[in-house]
Amino acid sequence: MVGIRYDWQELEIRAIYNTPLLELIYQAASVHRQYHDPTKIQVCKLISIKTGGCPEDCSYCAQSSRYKTEVKAEALLEKETVVNIAQKAKETGVSRICMGAAWREVRDNSQFEEVLEMVKDITAMGLEVCCTLGMLTANQARKLEEAGLYAYNHNLDTSQEYYSTIITTRTYSDRLNTIENVRQTNVTVCSGGILGLGETVDDRVGMLQTLANLHPHPESVPINILSQVPGTPLENQPDVPIWDIVRMIATARILMPASDVRLSAGRARLSQVEQAFCFMAGANSIFSSDDNKMLTVTTPCPDYDSDREMLNLLGLGMRAPSQRQEKVASPAVVG
C-alpha cells in the first residue's frame, strides 16, 4: 500500500502534476483503490443558512457586500427550514449536509447558538454535518464539537503567494489558524481550493503542498471550479480546461490518499463523460441539489434526479454516512 506522507516537496508535486495524463489517471486510480471503495460516491447537500452581506473582499464571491451581484443579503434561515431541507436530502440518499453562512468570522451570539441547534438536530438524523462559517476560535470549535459537528470547512483557496491577489481582508495565516483551532477538537477538517482564479501551475502546486503537508491531512479536500459571477472582479476569467481539473484531482488523490476528494462548485458545466474522468482520477464525492444551485443562484448545481441517473449509468452507488471515531494516534510518517 502507498504510505501517507507529510513531507512533500515542490518538485515532487510538480512532477506528479505533469505526468502524462493517462498515466497520471492510472496512478491516481490505483492509489484510490487502496484507500477507498471505488464503487461509492458520497453525495452532499450544501445549504446557505445565511446568504449575502459578507464584509470580505474575496474576488470570486457573489456574497461579498463590496460587489453588485444578483445575490442579496438575507437573514439566518429558521432552524425548522434547514432541518426540513436536510430531511428531504436524506431521503434521496444524501449522507452529508454542509451549512454555509456568509460571515467573516463566527461571533458568540444568538445566531451562533441557533447554528449549534441546527447541528444537533441534523446530526441526530444520522447525517454527517459540516459547517463553513468563516474564522473560528478554539472555544467556538469546541462548542461545535459538543453539538456533534462532523466536519468544518475552511478552504485555502489558492497558494500563499497568490492569496493576497484574491483576498485582502484576511491573511493566509488566518485560514491556517482556523484549521489549527478545529484540529484541537474531534471535528474533521475540510479544506481545498478553487481553480480558475488566474493562478499559475506553481500556485496550484503550492496550495496542494500546503494541504498535503498538514499533519494529519484534511479528511476532506474540495476541488472547486470558479463560477464567473457578474459584478465580481473575476467575472471575465476563462473557463478551466477539463484536463486541468482532472490533473488537480489526480494529484490531490496521490498526495492525500486517505482523504475524500470532492468535485465541488462548477461541476454543473461538466458533462457526464468529464465527470467520469474525475471519478477515475480519484474524486469520490459530489454536491447535489433540490433547487439546481449549490450555495446561491450564481453557482448552478445538478439536481438529485440527474445525479442519480449519472451514478446509475456509471455503476456507482451512494456512500452511507461515516461513523464518528475518536482520534487515535496519527500514522507514522512515510519518507
Side-chain angles (χ1 to χ4, degrees), residues 40-315:
K40 299 294 184 183
I41 298 289
Q42 184 172 44
V43 181
C44 313
K45 165 64 179 173
L46 179 55
I47 306 171
S48 181
I49 61 172
K50 166 62 183 78
T51 301
C54 182
E56 300 228 59
D57 68 352
C58 306
S59 298
Y60 52 80
C61 188
Q63 302 196 71
S64 172
S65 61
R66 297 165 185 253
Y67 313 131
K68 292 183 178 180
T69 72
E70 59 182 305
V71 175
K72 307 304 178 187
E74 300 175 5
L76 184 72
L77 292 181
E78 296 289 336
K79 182 182 73 169
E80 182 180 359
T81 300
V82 176
V83 170
N84 285 341
I85 295 171
Q87 179 61 45
K88 291 178 182 177
K90 179 182 178 181
E91 291 168 2
T92 71
V94 166
S95 60
R96 185 180 180 104
I97 297 294
C98 304
M99 299 189 293
W103 294 334
R104 180 177 189 272
E105 60 201 350
V106 174
R107 299 187 183 278
D108 294 306
N109 56 21
S110 59
Q111 289 194 327
F112 183 43
E113 294 301 319
E114 187 73 5
V115 172
L116 294 175
E117 291 302 313
M118 294 177 191
V119 171
K120 291 177 183 177
D121 285 6
I122 299 174
T123 297
M125 294 163 56
L127 295 167
E128 296 177 22
V129 182
C130 177
C131 281
T132 179
L133 312 171
M135 292 185 289
L136 200 65
T137 67
N139 186 55
Q140 291 162 345
R142 283 192 292 272
K143 288 184 178 180
L144 286 165
E145 177 187 28
E146 291 166 1
L149 189 70
Y150 188 87
Y152 195 81
N153 167 260
H154 207 60
N155 290 332
L156 297 184
D157 288 347
T158 188
S159 69
Q160 185 168 5
E161 292 73 19
Y162 193 59
Y163 184 82
S164 61
T165 307
I166 303 300
I167 303 161
T168 67
T169 48
R170 76 171 89 166
T171 67
Y172 213 67
S173 294
D174 288 334
R175 291 192 180 261
L176 292 171
N177 287 341
T178 290
I179 291 173
E180 180 55 32
N181 288 337
V182 174
R183 278 294 181 218
Q184 303 311 307
T185 72
N186 195 46
V187 176
T188 63
V189 168
C190 175
S191 188
I194 306 171
L195 302 181
L197 304 176
E199 76 283 351
T200 64
V201 171
D202 285 344
D203 294 314
R204 294 173 183 176
V205 167
M207 181 189 75
L208 288 174
Q209 183 179 20
T210 300
L211 291 170
N213 286 349
L214 292 175
H215 196 333
H217 295 153
E219 287 83 357
S220 171
V221 181
I223 301 296
N224 296 280
I225 309 158
L226 176 70
S227 292
Q228 301 93 331
V229 178
T232 64
L234 298 182
E235 63 177 319
N236 294 317
Q237 282 296 113
D239 285 342
V240 181
I242 178 59
W243 304 123
D244 287 12
I245 299 165
V246 172
R247 282 189 182 279
M248 277 296 285
I249 289 170
T251 306
R253 168 54 63 221
I254 292 169
L255 299 180
M256 295 169 278
S259 303
D260 285 325
V261 177
R262 304 189 188 276
L263 181 57
S264 303
R267 181 173 68 88
R269 73 173 179 83
L270 303 183
S271 69
Q272 289 185 343
V273 172
E274 290 170 333
Q275 292 179 69
F277 270 103
C278 293
F279 299 143
M280 289 171 64
N284 61 337
S285 174
I286 57 174
F287 287 82
S288 194
S289 173
D290 56 343
D291 55 9
N292 290 113
K293 64 183 182 182
M294 184 164 166
L295 191 61
T296 69
V297 293
T298 61
T299 307
C301 181
D303 61 32
Y304 298 139
D305 289 340
S306 61
D307 279 336
R308 187 180 299 107
E309 178 186 343
M310 176 186 67
L311 294 178
N312 287 340
L313 177 68
L314 298 176

